[in-house]
Amino acid sequence: MADAVRLYTRYIGASLRAQMQYRASFIMNALGHLAITAGEFLSLAALFGRFGNIDGWTLPEVALFYGLVSCAFALCEGVARGFDDFSRTIRNGDFDRLLVRPRSTLLQVAGQELQLLRVGRFLQGLAVLIWSAATLGIAWTLPRILLVLGAVLGGVCLFYGLFVLQATLCFWTVQSLEVMNTLTYGGVETAQFPVTVYRAWFRNIFIYVVPLACVTYFPALAILDRADALGSPTWFQWLAPLVGVGFMALAPQVWHFGVRHYRSTGS
Amino acid sequence: MPAVVVQDLVKTFRVAERRPGLLGAMKGLFHREYHTVRALDGVGFSLQPGELVGYIGPNGAGKSTTVKVLAGILVPDSGRCEVLGQVPWQERVRHVRNIGVVFGQRTQLWWDLPVIESFDLLRDIYAVPQVQYAATRDELVALLGLGPLLDTPVRQLSLGQRMRCDIVASLLHRPALLFLDEPTIGLDAVSKLAVRDFLLRLQREQGVTTILTTHDMDDIEALCTRVILINHGSIAFDGTLEALRGRVTQERYLTVEFADGGAWRDEPDVTVVRSNGQRYTLSFDPRQIAAADLIARIAARYPVRDLLVENPPIETIIARLYDEDQP
Amino acid sequence: MSAYLSTFQARGRVLLQYREAALAGVVTQLFWGGIRIMIYEAFYRSSSAAQPMSYAQTVTYLWLIQAMLLLVPWRVDPEAAASIRDGSVAYEMVRPADLYWYWFSRGLAQRVLPVLMRAAPIFIIAMPFFGMQAPVSAAAALAWVASIGAAALLSCAITMLATISLLWSVAGDGVSRLLATLASLLSGSVVPLPFYPDWAQPVLNALPFRGLMDIPFRVYTGDVTLGQWLPLLGHQLIWTAVLVLIGRWLLARGLRRLVVQGG
């Protein structure tokens, strides 16, 4: 285990040194990301300018959801790049290379790249989060700070699990991956609002199937001290981010099933 | 004890049928039909330690499937296979510690990093002790004269330089068995010679058991004493290169480019294989006429611009071999 | 002309092979459309204030975004960009066809078929099941078709600008990104343009980007009458012409710069 961690850090070091070779284009890319996400948030603000609220939630409250999910997703996109980009690894035949090395395939894919680029999106999410907290006048007690960190980390784990599932799908097809985007990017879009604004069947997908609500909606309720229209108990709201960790723990089983399929069909 | 034993290896793939036309494409959206391809159909051979064997055959014959099975990437349908006393597809991690693989068209080096950093990373991946690693690396680098390249980012290397670095990279953990998959593909003539020279020296000094798959007969001629030929998923020939050639044909090709065409008259001892404008490819049997004599004769009779003597391409040999097999 | 036409056909055949991807794309677009519509549904039930568009019009606008999303000039032409990066653009200049129109027709071909393949299923599914309305009149439908055609040309002209800017390497990289960002925000693909604040409307109206989505969509929903639409079509076409002229001028300059530098 310690050996795996050391190798992972070596991989990440190599990836960072490689990215530093393209500094100018990196800065340009990060700024580009910052611009588009900032623009999206301003567009959201424009809607609140027209409508005032959504089901009784104001812009600064929704901004808390937005900030949590943006930070989590940006961090995850940074570390899970190898899985996000796995269809290319399969198409190039580079997965064969990973199989002839004496290390777990999961570790090797995870170590493929740490993408710094997502720092733009992360900073934007963080700014929105801070603006929201300041506007709402949230009292920052230690438990609340820990809950915010827990929600973001739980979110990173959840998205990481989704990226591993998406990569696993590549063992069968590299053509219909866009469907997985509905769960990753679509999940981000969905989680920017309280799940109660959606219809019940859709809401339930993001509570029970892909439990994104557990890393945004439920902890946000506890942070805001609001009662849940769905009736969840407070203790659950505090522990909900752990569900994200559990979700990630399931992903390796599916992955190994995919690797077995690959080794028997070679495609 | 042999380093590699393969017996009755069978591997089939299911391939989706592609239907022609727009209508077929639309049907394919909803329903696919599959047919089965026997990529390996009872392959068997064995290798002694230190052997360098050329594994050849036309595209789709089963070469890379065999390599993938031996490397532990693919699990076969049936058959026996032992590499260094282990079954490759069981306990993948333990098996691959003992092998090195070079895929000619894909580098295993980190594209944006200096060569030496890729080597260091491989040391960590294979968990090679530092002392052993440094000794192996320095020895290989000195043997191949790669010293000046070590600090160059891989993307700036020429194809030939990169291939040599790739070969070193696959040997850093001192594997007992090396797979070379098309190591000279896409290289210019000079780089090909350099890589071949490199492999020869490696063979002499290190004696690594090596399986070389290639399309390039010159690779085989320069490097291998033994050739295994696979076609349609089974072994069509296993023996020395001379035996292969002798069994099929003794012929050589002479390609001549004349200064002006159309004046070709039938010559004794040669037949025209093909002609294209001023270029004629003639086949001859060196037992009847030595190449030097034939060239002298042609050059004396015709205005010649260019001359080239070569062996019939591998595809021709294989085609002949099959003609021979079928009465 | 036939050179452009055969480029067009070859591209179409390549794209048809990715039918599985197309199917996945449709599912994705339906999903995204669904999310957005639920959000707007919640917004509309939360406020009694007068809105710039009716709920029904908004739903139709949102579906049109999903159907026509590929008209947004997200990316530069990847082949052209690669040829600029590795310098082989110099060989492209040898072709007996005008480079600008060669790239332009290739870009148009890359756009038309995917847009149609995505749009058709969304119309087929969203109209009967998910509240998407038909065009308000036959005339509006025709106007919409004409406007979409103009939008495709405009989209290609913007893509060309982004691609050509790559001739100025790092700075060009920034320009092409900026163009994509502006196009997606200011065309109405993120939020329908009428929802932006009133003070922003004159600016949005003047810029070329609304020609990509907002103009065709609003004539479709009847938010813009046919009489109002005709000058808007002019807006689309004039901007396209202007951007083509700028693009051709920049391409000539950029290539000359490349030759002078000996790149």
Side-chain angles (χ1 to χ4, degrees), chain A residues 216-238:
Chain A
T216 48
Y217 177 70
F218 294 117
L221 287 172
I223 295 165
L224 294 171
D225 242 337
R226 268 180 81 135
D228 184 6
L230 303 172
S232 69
T234 314
W235 64 265
F236 173 73
Q237 295 166 6
W238 282 86

Side-chain angles (χ1 to χ4, degrees), chain A residues 3 6-7 10-11 14-15 17-19 21-22 92-105 108 112 260 262-267, chain B residues 11 13 68 71-75 88-89 92-93 96-97 99 101-103 106 108 110-113 117 120-127 153 155:
Chain A
D3 190 43
R6 205 176 54 229
L7 180 60
R10 296 275 305 156
Y11 269 130
S15 166
R17 281 195 298 283
Q19 286 174 71
Q21 306 248 326
Y22 304 93
N92 292 349
D94 285 340
F95 190 64
D96 289 348
R97 168 59 63 196
L98 304 190
L99 281 174
V100 298
R101 285 181 176 157
R103 292 289 182 165
S104 115
T105 48
Q108 292 186 72
Q112 231 158 29
R260 262 205 304 282
Y262 178 88
R263 292 182 67 198
S264 70
T265 61
S267 57
Chain B
K11 179 73 198 169
F13 294 115
K68 282 182 180 182
I73 295 169
L74 269 183
V75 181
W89 55 90
R92 176 183 72 81
V93 168
V96 299
R97 271 187 213 290
I99 64 168
V101 186
V102 175
F103 295 115
R106 294 175 255 134
Q108 68 160 321
W110 276 254
W111 193 243
D112 289 315
L113 295 179
E117 291 208 38
D120 287 350
L121 261 167
L122 286 165
R123 170 199 62 198
D124 295 332
I125 290 170
Y126 284 91
R155 64 165 190 280

